[in-house]
Amino acid sequence: TYVVTDACIRCKYMDCVEVCPVDCFYEGENMLVINPNECIDCGVCEPECPAEAILPDTENGLEKWLELNRTYSEQW
Ligand code: SF4
């Protein structure tokens, strides 16, 4: 899955939301999040993000952000 990280806070450009083929972006408290159960790992959102806030969860140190994306996206 891909995860949204802190660079998104108060950004909300929504470019990523428009390109996601499975509509798995949700609104968190002050940032957007990706539902890890719905993300199909296509990667098209990553280059669309003007804040470079979207990263694949295979990168190191993203456990906390993955958890936060899961928590916020499952509230809906
Ligand atoms: Fe959506 Fe693809 Fe980005 Fe996952 S990687 S959030 S499916 S655009």
Side-chain angles (χ1 to χ4, degrees), residues 5-65:
T5 64
D6 53 346
C8 175
I9 293 175
R10 294 183 222 290
C11 157
K12 293 191 177 175
Y13 272 111
M14 313 289 274
D15 297 40
C16 53
V17 179
E18 280 165 33
V19 298
C20 180
V22 294
D23 282 331
C24 63
F25 280 92
Y26 295 82
E27 289 237 26
E29 215 159 280
N30 52 13
M31 61 183 281
L32 295 171
V33 291
I34 292 170
N35 184 322
N37 299 324
E38 296 171 1
C39 174
I40 57 170
D41 252 334
C42 72
V44 300
C45 57
E46 187 181 8
E48 293 301 322
C49 176
E52 296 184 12
I54 303 172
L55 299 169
D57 76 336
T58 47
E59 290 206 10
N60 290 329
L62 292 182
E63 293 81 6
K64 181 186 121 191
W65 291 104

